[in-house]
Amino acid sequence: HKGEYRHFMLKEIFEQPEVIATALEGRLSEEGVLVESFGPEAQALFARARQVHIIACGTSYHAGLVARYWLERYAGVPVQVEVASEYRYRHPVVLDDTLFVTLSQSGETADTLAALRFAKTLGYIGSLAICNVPGSSLVRESDLTLMTRAGPEIGVASTKAFTTQLVALMLLTLAMGKAQGLDDAQRAEQAEIVAALKTLPRVCQKALALDGAIEALSQAFAEKHHALFLGRGAHYPIALEGALKLKEISYIHAEAYPAGELKHGPLALVDSEMPVISVAPNDDLLEKLKSNLQEVRARGGQLFVFAEESIGIRDQQDVRVLGVPVIHESLTPLLYTLPLQLLSYHVAVLKGTDVDQPRNLAKSVTVE
Ligand code: F6R
């Protein structure tokens, strides 16, 4: 039921603080994650794993791309991420002690399921499914499972399913790090992330207050045919996800680039007809990103920057800055997703497309 909301997508966007809290429930102790949340065999498998392969499609694939940055940075585990429809037709070389992970909202995506079945022939130490539907094929056929607990998602464009996947993947990151053994500095870092996770529902609620400001600027996109999304590091996949959402429900052609790639081609596309959306969290890469944004401005591009107010990118004629609340830097990819969801939603509403049921798409892709 949509209740007070005009579309399921908007309802599901606004449910995120609540479902993120649900996804965390009972899975954290004071200082760390409860590894047994992933099942009784998780401790042994996570301790043994030397690398991780993550396979998924679409938005779930973008969650996997974020997890690569997290697992490498916070757990020291090398990660490969690939779309299922490519993976299943390759001849993957699987090193000893590799864990196979699938991500799926539905648990019935044909290519992801086929990839899991194929992986079982390749000598992995085991499989983990991160999924939203209990009892789905993917859950039944995997050794370990972690449910994302987003509740039913009706809008075809995935929103709360994605952010709860990110919560699950941060829990995986913490669990893998813990199982592999932590030094004092890493233990302190985990404690910080756990504390930040506990504040996440509240901070997400604050980010959703951007709704009115985003609705107001959606006008700037309604007549446009293209848009460019930029991010760096773990926010590059968030740019990819922002572009996918915009394409999917507003039918505006959008592309995402890691901002450092601009000069290698896409800068040629930038003129006053090309809105450029950038996620600019306050991290090590911010200064580099700012200089990339200067390159865009110099070409007459219209910039929309999502950033903390304190970082000093000023609102001016060709730069609109939308202030995002502050959170521990490990969790900014999740937080910055929310305003991009709202942006695609409001642009689609303005264009009058069928937001919950975009043309040519199905919620669950059970055929190849
Ligand atoms: C986009 C979207 C799709 C799905 C993809 C995988 O908004 O929803 O890209 O993410 O079809 O579906 P699941 O996660 O069910 O395997």
Side-chain angles (χ1 to χ4, degrees):
H1 203 277
K2 283 187 286 214
E4 60 185 291
Y5 294 101
R6 184 161 164 204
H7 296 98
F8 280 108
M9 183 182 178
L10 191 62
K11 171 173 177 267
E12 288 158 3
I13 289 173
F14 275 87
E15 272 171 9
Q16 287 175 112
E18 190 187 323
V19 293
I20 287 169
T22 308
L24 289 168
E25 225 166 75
R27 291 170 169 174
L28 294 174
S29 67
E30 261 319 296
E31 72 288 354
V33 61
L34 300 169
V35 179
E36 58 279 19
S37 311
F38 293 83
E41 293 154 65
Q43 174 64 34
L45 276 178
F46 291 172
R48 189 177 151 202
R50 286 291 155 267
Q51 48 273 315
V52 174
H53 287 177
I54 302 178
I55 301 301
C57 300
T59 288
S60 296
Y61 167 69
H62 295 155
L65 291 176
V66 174
R68 174 168 67 190
Y69 289 88
W70 284 347
L71 281 160
E72 296 193 344
R73 164 76 174 78
Y74 299 109
V77 182
V79 178
Q80 284 184 34
V81 190
E82 194 168 6
V83 291
S85 56
E86 285 300 312
Y87 173 84
R88 62 179 287 203
Y89 297 112
R90 282 200 298 121
H91 298 271
V93 176
V94 180
L95 300 177
D96 286 347
D97 297 324
T98 304
L99 179 69
F100 185 80
V101 178
T102 54
L103 309 175
S104 176
Q105 190 285 126
S106 62
E108 303 295 347
T109 299
D111 281 319
T112 309
L113 193 55
L116 171 64
R117 290 173 181 160
F118 173 47
K120 288 186 178 179
T121 68
L122 298 177
Y124 288 93
I125 56 171
S127 58
L128 162 67
I130 291 180
C131 187
N132 191 38
V133 179
S136 58
S137 306
L138 213 57
V139 167
R140 281 186 277 110
E141 296 183 27
S142 298
D143 303 318
L144 305 176
T145 55
L146 190 74
M147 303 315 300
T148 50
R149 303 177 179 162
E153 192 179 61
I154 309 296
V156 165
S158 184
T159 53
K160 62 176 182 169
F162 177 69
T163 47
T164 52
Q165 279 172 344
L166 290 180
V167 169
L169 287 163
M170 183 48 94
L171 295 175
L172 175 65
T173 301
L174 298 173
M176 292 271 312
K178 196 168 157 188
Q180 308 250 323
L182 301 170
D183 62 26
D184 286 348
Q186 288 169 316
R187 195 162 311 112
E189 190 168 54
Q190 282 223 355
E192 275 177 32
I193 297 173
V194 167
L197 276 171
K198 290 176 180 167
T199 69
L200 187 60
R202 195 156 31 82
V203 183
C204 284
Q205 192 73 55
K206 267 169 93 182
L208 292 173
L210 280 169
D211 188 44
I214 292 172
E215 183 174 9
L217 71 79
S218 59
Q219 203 73 47
F221 290 80
E223 304 295 315
K224 295 289 192 286
H225 297 288
H226 307 277
L228 195 57
F229 286 74
L230 301 177
R232 296 191 72 124
H235 301 86
Y236 166 48
I238 299 310
L240 285 168
E241 176 58 11
L244 178 61
K245 285 291 93 101
L246 191 69
K247 283 185 263 212
E248 195 176 12
I249 61 169
S250 77
Y251 315 149
I252 293 175
H253 168 227
E255 282 200 72
Y257 271 93
E261 275 288 295
L262 266 181
K263 282 192 179 76
H264 301 283
L267 200 52
L269 288 170
V270 174
D271 62 13
S272 61
E273 288 307 294
M274 177 71 95
V276 179
I277 301 97
S278 176
V279 274
N282 191 2
D283 60 19
D284 304 351
L285 293 169
L286 181 62
E287 286 311 312
K288 292 195 187 300
L289 182 72
K290 280 185 181 170
S291 68
N292 300 139
L293 298 184
Q294 261 333 100
E295 293 161 358
V296 169
R297 279 186 73 195
R299 286 8 176 243
Q302 177 71 42
L303 269 173
F304 299 88
V305 183
F306 292 93
E308 284 172 23
E309 260 143 18
S310 65
I311 67 165
I313 302 181
R314 281 198 326 278
D315 217 35
Q316 43 203 303
Q317 221 213 322
D318 52 353
V319 188
R320 288 281 292 120
V321 183
L322 289 114
V324 180
V326 179
I327 194 152
H328 187 269
E329 70 167 313
S330 58
L331 298 179
T332 50
L334 194 157
L335 188 64
Y336 283 67
T337 300
L338 275 50
L340 299 188
Q341 295 169 343
L342 288 168
L343 179 66
S344 64
Y345 173 77
H346 287 297
V347 174
V349 168
L350 207 60
K351 294 196 68 176
T353 59
D354 189 344
V355 173
D356 285 333
Q357 290 261 285
R359 66 188 183 200
N360 312 338
L361 299 177
K363 181 69 188 161
S364 190
V365 185
T366 54
V367 291
E368 213 183 311

